[in-house]
């Protein structure tokens, strides 16, 4: 990693932190959303630089790639989040290696993660992925399915349901972005009436974090605007 690349990463991170700060103030929100740095498709060297700048939570989307990186970063203080699509043959590796899973979209996966989370580890933090924007959105569960999963998880001792994650269909229009995020927020608030322990609403990426913060996001997931374009 050249000096120039290091400097670029530092600049990018501080710009993102400034955007989060500015939006939080503009929306007069009491607290800032957490930042998840999405490092998929970027090398371990970049993760080290960003971690050394104070960022501790990182998100990965591909199980194999993530585990290889973790093995090179065992001594580093990092909280790992899995945010990619989950195939059932990968749940064991996820359950044994991550602190958080944000992309749980069906009961079968939830049940497997609970069975496979080792007793010796703390509970696995889970976000259920909510499908917003109808047919144009590829993955996620609908409201009925999400309610069924939260209900079932009440008796799953190895999991802790923390809230929702959502990826709306891409849009460049601020108002359209807000419309999607408000729908997610409304559903999250509805769930909180029954499950007041929920504390995490993960929404907002590089292109729409301001709209997400306006709609109550408590965690934004930023890849490109920190690490640059993925190859
Ligand atoms: C890749 C990814 C991100 C980061 O997206 P950027 O547009 O690069 O900021 C966020 N969330 C999920 C679920 C992702 O897969």
């Amino acid at each position: 990693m050249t000096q120039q690349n290091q400097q670029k990463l530092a600049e990018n991170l501080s710009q993102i932190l400034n955007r989060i700060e500015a939006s939080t103030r503009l929306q007069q929100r009491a607290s800032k959303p957490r930042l998840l740095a999405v490092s998929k498709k970027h090398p371990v060297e970049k993760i080290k630089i960003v971690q050394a700048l104070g960022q501790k939570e990182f998100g990965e989307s591909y199980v194999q790639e993530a585990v290889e990186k973790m093995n090179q970063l065992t001594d580093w203080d990092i909280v790992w989040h899995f945010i990619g699509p989950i195939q059932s043959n990968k749940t064991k590796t996820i359950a044994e290696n991550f602190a958080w899973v944000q992309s749980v979209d069906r009961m079968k996966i939830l049940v497997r993660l609970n069975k496979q989370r080792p007793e010796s580890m703390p509970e696995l933090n889970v976000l259920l992925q909510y499908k917003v924007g109808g047919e144009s959105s590829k993955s996620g569960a609908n409201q009925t399915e999400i309610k069924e999963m939260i209900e079932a998880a009440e008796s799953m001792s190895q999991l802790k349901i923390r809230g929702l994650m959502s990826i709306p269909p891409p849009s460049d229009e601020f108002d359209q972005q807000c419309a999607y995020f408000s729908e997610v927020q409304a559903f999250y608030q509805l769930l909180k009436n029954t499950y007041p322990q929920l504390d995490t609403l993960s929404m907002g990426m590089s292109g729409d974090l301001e709209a997400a913060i306006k709609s109550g996001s408590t965690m934004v997931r930023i890849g490109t605007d920190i690490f640059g374009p993925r190859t």
Side-chain angles (χ1 to χ4, degrees):
M1 212 54 28
T2 64
Q3 188 95 35
Q4 204 181 5
N5 286 342
Q6 292 193 25
Q7 207 151 23
K8 183 68 184 154
L9 282 170
E11 264 171 39
N12 287 351
L13 181 65
S14 98
Q15 263 170 26
I16 281 293
L17 293 171
N18 287 341
R19 277 170 71 189
I20 293 172
E21 180 80 45
S23 278
T24 303
R25 228 178 310 120
L26 181 69
Q27 304 304 335
Q28 301 185 314
R29 287 191 37 189
S31 57
K32 277 191 296 199
R34 276 151 70 186
L35 172 61
L36 182 72
V38 177
S39 47
K40 65 177 181 222
K41 302 279 184 194
H42 292 287
V44 161
E45 286 64 39
K46 285 186 172 181
I47 298 178
K48 288 181 178 174
I49 290 167
V50 172
Q51 195 276 358
L53 292 164
Q55 175 64 32
K56 305 294 183 221
E57 294 189 277
F58 288 82
E60 289 281 338
S61 303
Y62 308 98
V63 176
Q64 193 57 39
E65 177 190 338
V67 170
E68 281 166 23
K69 288 173 174 173
M70 287 172 186
N71 288 337
Q72 295 176 64
L73 292 165
T74 45
D75 296 337
W76 292 67
D77 175 18
I78 291 179
V79 177
W80 294 99
H81 293 237
F82 189 76
I83 61 172
I86 306 177
Q87 296 166 281
S88 42
N89 63 357
K90 296 286 165 55
T91 52
K92 187 160 188 286
T93 312
I94 293 172
E96 289 175 350
N97 288 281
F98 285 83
W100 287 71
V101 189
Q102 300 207 0
S103 40
V104 175
D105 64 354
R106 55 200 192 279
M107 186 72 81
K108 181 183 176 188
I109 298 297
L110 195 71
V111 169
R112 289 175 67 93
L113 289 170
N114 182 53
K115 273 209 188 96
Q116 294 167 336
R117 179 68 164 182
E119 298 264 347
S120 59
M121 292 178 81
E123 291 166 313
L124 178 62
N125 295 293
V126 172
L127 300 182
L128 300 170
Q129 186 173 345
Y130 175 49
K131 182 187 180 104
V132 68
E135 287 316 302
S136 45
S137 151
K138 290 186 296 270
S139 45
N142 64 31
Q143 297 200 358
T144 307
E145 292 161 340
I146 299 251
K147 287 176 186 162
E148 285 168 1
M149 286 190 278
I150 298 190
E151 174 73 36
E154 296 261 75
S155 57
M156 297 183 185
S157 62
Q158 296 308 104
L159 306 182
K160 186 169 184 182
I161 305 283
R162 300 290 296 265
L164 299 179
M165 187 272 267
S166 199
I167 313 172
S171 164
D172 293 335
E173 296 272 323
F174 184 76
D175 290 345
Q176 177 60 257
Q177 294 171 354
C178 289
Y180 289 134
F181 288 134
S182 310
E183 188 199 320
V184 183
Q185 185 190 30
F187 181 46
Y188 175 68
Q189 290 302 336
L190 181 85
L191 292 171
K192 266 174 82 86
N193 292 338
T194 313
Y195 304 98
Q197 69 273 24
L198 301 182
D199 63 2
T200 308
L201 182 54
S202 169
M203 54 187 196
M205 316 203 298
S206 295
D208 56 15
L209 77 87
E210 283 81 6
I213 292 175
K214 183 173 182 187
S215 309
S217 167
T218 72
M219 189 189 297
V220 293
R221 308 178 310 270
I222 310 297
T224 309
D225 283 1
I226 295 174
F227 293 102
R230 289 178 286 272
T231 46

